[in-house]
Amino acid sequence: MNSLIGLWESVREFIATGGDVLYFVAAALFLMWVLMIERYWYITAVFPKVKKDIITRWDARSDTTSWYAHRIREAWISEASDNLDARMLIIRTLVAMCPLIGLLGTVTGMISVFETMATQGTSNARLMASGISMATIPTMAGMVAALSGLFISSRLEAKAKLAREGLVDSLPHH
Amino acid sequence: MKLVFKSLVAAATMAVISTGAQAQEAASLQDLLEQVKQNRVSEARINEEREAEFRSERADKQALLQKAQSELQAEQDRGDRLQQQFSDNETTLNEKSSELEQATGTLGEMFGVVRQAASEAYGRVSTSIVSAQYPDRDDFLAEMSEESKGLPNIQELEDLWFALQTEMTQGGQVDRFTTEVVNLDGGSSEQEVVRVGTFNLVGADGYLSYDAENDVVQPLGRQPEGFLVSSAEEMAEATSGTVAFYADPSQGAILGLLKEKATWSERYHAGGAVGYTITVMLIIGLLIGIYKLVTLGITGSKIKSQLKNPGNPSSGNPLGRILKVYQENKHSDAENLELKLDEAILRELPSIESGINVIKIFAAIAPLLGLLGTVLGMIATFQTITLFGTGDPRLMAGSISMALVTTAQGIIAALPLILTHSIVASRSKSIIHILDEQTAGIIAAHTEAEKA
């Protein structure tokens, strides 16, 4: 319990020194991870069942070589890959947005530095230091968030691609 | 001859006049001669008289001189005497002051301390907000601290004691009193004011400041953030109990600094024309995004319901229109049918994709515009440097922070636009996939079902 409170305190301190932009980074990160976990769950747990279902339906067909059969096969694959790719674009966008939000933090931090300079002059470096920490911490947080998402999202995309190709391969014209 | 005579007469007459003798008509030359003789005698007599007069006066002046000299002597004597007296007095004064010093003894030190305390108390009391409630406390303190000579009497010592004690006691109290508040527009009104110790004055509309120089209470030029002000208003309204309140322990200095901080709207307007352009782009982009989301949602749901009922195409949705094309060309061969279907699909795509790229372009332009604002701000900064040099960082810092504001605005506009674009794009993509890749399959499945 004590260590939890200590953790919470350190998080709060981190946010206090980093400024409010960190909330946006946190929101983007949270959304990104929720979507990624959902995708991972879909590809590993839901999609195999869907794939099995499509394969049994395909195998049950007597006609697999006519024009109709080709179109139906394409439609099934397209539907399945649509489901596989759903929300991938948003995940990619969120990954790309994280450093941009960090940059926003940099800019707002620099604004506060210059505001301090405008009202207080350059005599007190400590006053400016708070603005500089507000400028650097969100940048770092945004980059870490983007890095954490970048790896997983590219893994997910590869997984989805593999799953789609696996599906295509298991629908032979017999 | 006559001319000569006349001029002689004139000369004689003038001579007579110039001697100051009585002008008498000379009947003849003989008379004139007589007259001149007579006058000479009287002239001589007058001269004698004057001489006598001068002589007698000379004696008088001698007497005056002697008198003046004796007076000088007397004054000199008096001067000597006074000098003597002065030096005597000086000696006495020294004796007396040393006597006084001896008599005061260690008390002298105490009076120094008293004076110091008085001047310190003056500094504190005159700027303290307690003076807003109890004015005119500082006059005697000023007198007491400035008086370099003379000893404070018991009365004054007690007053000092009282003043310090008042300040201390009031410093620990929250008090309510009515005073005149000078508004920012120049008018003034009687207001009930709550004083929190020596820290803050709070009125009905938030924090007040006390101008010690003019002895007036006035509202803060700019109130701090809303939650601080609402705590102050709660404080002003509360009559008893415990109230949570944001006090300024620096007695107004921090509130003064907060006053100098720019508000959000000021920062926004600092962006200038570039900032407004970015805002317009953000608003247009978001409106397009919302419009596309709504229309794509409607189209998507219509397509979904059409998917459940492929045999009965309606012309109200893209999929229905494509299915209709199939219905019309049911009996043509597969190749021809496919061409017709592709044509129908191509007709549907523009209305679904329209506007999405605009959002993307806006999302890309907004940060660029922000960068433009930054560059403009830096140009302004360097102009400032050209005019005023780098001596005062404050002059530069102003326009630099303005330059950064547009960057921030660009990024702030870009973030939601990017997100909107990706949501709208993925929506439209799934619809296009249905139309592009799945329509033929749907038709095939439907035909198969019909044949079976």
Side-chain angles (χ1 to χ4, degrees):
Chain A
M1 193 64 203
N2 266 340
S3 65
L4 270 183
I5 291 171
L7 191 69
W8 171 238
E9 278 302 313
S10 62
V11 167
R12 250 190 12 195
E13 202 174 305
F14 183 72
I15 287 176
T17 46
D20 293 340
V21 178
L22 282 180
Y23 287 112
F24 291 99
V25 177
L29 186 69
F30 178 75
L31 190 61
M32 190 169 81
W33 273 92
V34 166
L35 290 176
M36 286 195 304
I37 289 168
E38 189 265 347
R39 280 294 87 192
Y40 186 80
W41 177 76
Y42 181 81
I43 292 170
T44 54
V46 179
F47 186 72
K49 282 183 210 150
V50 175
K51 185 181 168 189
K52 219 166 129 190
D53 183 42
I54 291 173
I55 291 171
T56 42
R57 259 171 38 206
W58 180 252
D59 284 344
R61 282 182 67 94
S62 53
D63 164 31
T64 57
T65 49
S66 68
W67 184 84
Y68 293 111
H70 276 276
R71 297 291 90 84
I72 287 171
R73 181 173 174 268
E74 268 170 24
W76 286 355
I77 291 169
S78 162
E79 206 175 323
S81 80
D82 251 9
N83 284 337
L84 275 174
D85 284 342
R87 292 176 282 281
M88 279 299 195
L89 184 63
I90 293 175
I91 293 175
R92 268 212 306 275
T93 310
L94 284 170
V95 170
M97 269 170 70
C98 279
L100 206 56
I101 300 174
L103 190 64
L104 176 66
T106 310
V107 176
T108 52
M110 291 316 287
I111 289 175
S112 95
V113 170
F114 282 110
E115 202 165 69
T116 315
M117 272 171 69
T119 55
Q120 308 289 306
T122 47
S123 55
N124 196 340
R126 284 178 197 206
L127 284 171
M128 290 195 279
S130 85
I132 291 169
S133 77
M134 269 170 70
T136 47
I137 288 179
T139 317
M140 180 199 71
M143 279 186 184
V144 170
L147 282 177
S148 80
L150 196 62
F151 179 70
I152 309 280
S153 76
S154 68
R155 287 297 310 141
L156 277 175
E157 266 167 43
K159 246 180 153 45
K161 200 177 163 198
L162 274 177
R164 182 167 53 247
E165 275 163 11
L167 176 67
V168 172
D169 287 345
S170 36
L171 299 179
H173 304 289
H174 46 80
Chain B
M1 188 64 209
K2 207 169 186 182
L3 192 71
V4 172
F5 173 72
K6 261 191 183 166
S7 65
L8 194 69
V9 170
T13 316
M14 278 172 80
V16 168
I17 289 166
S18 71
T19 51
Q22 278 180 339
Q24 282 175 0
E25 286 292 321
S28 64
L29 278 175
Q30 196 58 44
D31 278 355
L32 183 64
L33 185 65
E34 281 302 309
Q35 209 172 340
V36 167
K37 268 185 193 165
Q38 215 173 343
N39 275 353
R40 201 178 65 183
V41 171
S42 69
E43 200 118 312
R45 203 183 56 238
I46 287 166
N47 277 347
E48 262 168 39
E49 271 173 25
R50 281 172 71 193
E51 220 173 71
E53 201 177 320
F54 283 144
R55 285 218 183 87
S56 74
E57 261 182 27
R58 189 174 146 215
D60 279 356
K61 296 291 174 206
Q62 203 72 34
L64 274 177
L65 178 67
Q66 269 169 9
K67 196 183 161 204
Q69 271 170 349
S70 71
E71 264 175 27
L72 175 69
Q73 190 61 41
E75 288 301 324
Q76 268 172 349
D77 287 352
R78 187 163 154 265
D80 287 346
R81 211 173 54 245
L82 286 178
Q83 206 162 14
Q84 182 62 38
Q85 198 181 344
F86 177 74
S87 64
D88 285 353
N89 283 347
E90 198 78 341
T91 323
T92 324
L93 201 61
N94 279 342
E95 275 169 20
K96 290 290 175 197
S97 70
S98 68
E99 260 174 49
L100 175 67
E101 215 164 284
Q102 279 169 356
T104 339
T106 48
L107 279 179
E109 221 164 284
M110 191 202 83
F111 289 129
V113 171
V114 165
R115 237 190 319 275
Q116 200 183 335
S119 84
E120 271 175 25
Y122 171 66
R124 184 166 309 169
V125 165
S126 65
T127 56
S128 164
I129 57 170
V130 180
S131 296
Q133 188 175 3
Y134 303 104
D136 306 328
R137 296 184 306 158
D138 47 351
D139 291 347
F140 94 92
L141 283 172
E143 232 168 75
M144 209 164 155
S145 60
E146 278 162 15
E147 247 175 50
S148 54
K149 284 189 176 171
L151 303 172
N153 55 33
I154 296 284
Q155 175 70 33
E156 282 173 328
L157 284 175
E158 275 178 354
D159 280 350
L160 175 65
W161 173 20
F162 179 70
L164 287 172
Q165 184 91 40
T166 311
E167 188 69 15
M168 259 188 263
T169 318
Q170 294 298 328
Q173 278 178 356
V174 176
D175 213 345
R176 189 182 284 274
F177 63 98
T178 307
T179 185
E180 193 180 27
V181 175
V182 177
N183 294 324
L184 293 174
D185 53 19
S188 68
S189 58
E190 287 284 317
Q191 257 189 40
E192 199 172 47
V193 169
V194 174
R195 179 181 54 75
V196 182
T198 55
F199 301 116
N200 292 117
L201 282 175
V202 174
D205 309 320
Y207 293 92
L208 301 170
S209 66
Y210 174 62
D211 183 354
E213 233 166 79
N214 305 318
D215 267 342
V216 289
V217 177
Q218 52 195 31
L220 224 55
R222 173 184 291 159
Q223 294 290 340
E225 278 145 274
F227 65 96
L228 300 178
V229 175
S230 65
S231 88
E233 279 165 5
E234 261 172 51
M235 184 78 202
E237 280 158 18
T239 49
S240 63
T242 311
V243 180
F245 169 67
Y246 286 92
D248 177 4
S250 63
Q251 312 194 339
I254 293 174
L255 283 174
L257 282 180
L258 280 178
K259 203 167 67 182
E260 287 178 16
K261 245 183 144 182
T263 60
W264 283 107
S265 74
E266 271 180 8
R267 281 188 202 167
Y268 169 73
H269 291 297
V274 176
Y276 300 139
T277 317
I278 292 173
T279 316
V280 169
M281 278 174 43
L282 172 66
I283 291 167
I284 293 176
L286 285 180
L287 285 179
I288 293 175
I290 290 166
Y291 172 75
K292 285 309 288 179
L293 274 181
V294 171
T295 51
L296 287 178
I298 292 169
T299 316
S301 67
K302 275 183 184 166
I303 287 175
K304 251 188 201 136
S305 63
Q306 185 71 66
L307 272 175
K308 282 175 196 147
N309 186 14
N312 188 18
S314 87
S315 57
N317 68 79
L319 184 63
R321 285 193 285 274
I322 295 167
L323 288 179
K324 255 203 169 130
V325 170
Y326 160 71
Q327 300 265 355
E328 282 157 13
N329 300 282
K330 225 174 193 171
H331 305 295
S332 45
D333 58 305
E335 205 173 315
N336 204 0
L337 178 63
E338 203 159 355
L339 280 174
K340 291 266 181 201
L341 286 179
D342 281 348
E343 205 178 296
I345 290 164
L346 277 179
R347 261 207 303 276
E348 297 300 336
L349 293 188
S351 71
I352 293 167
E353 280 179 329
S354 72
I356 294 175
N357 273 331
V358 178
I359 304 174
K360 195 178 186 179
I361 290 167
F362 278 1
I365 290 178
L368 281 181
L369 267 178
L371 192 64
L372 173 69
T374 310
V375 175
L376 291 178
M378 292 313 291
I379 291 173
T381 310
F382 283 111
Q383 269 172 354
T384 317
I385 293 178
T386 317
L387 289 174
F388 303 109
T390 52
D392 192 354
R394 292 167 201 223
L395 279 172
M396 290 190 283
S399 50
I400 291 175
S401 90
M402 294 314 117
L404 289 169
V405 164
T406 55
T407 315
Q409 284 173 338
I411 296 172
I412 288 170
L415 288 173
L417 286 178
I418 291 173
L419 203 60
T420 314
H421 171 257
S422 83
I423 292 170
V424 172
S426 64
R427 275 274 173 89
S428 79
K429 217 173 167 185
S430 73
I431 289 176
I432 288 168
H433 277 176
I434 291 177
L435 295 182
D436 200 15
E437 295 167 8
Q438 294 165 28
T439 340
I442 293 158
I443 289 165
H446 176 60
T447 319
E448 275 184 355
E450 264 183 349
K451 275 182 187 165

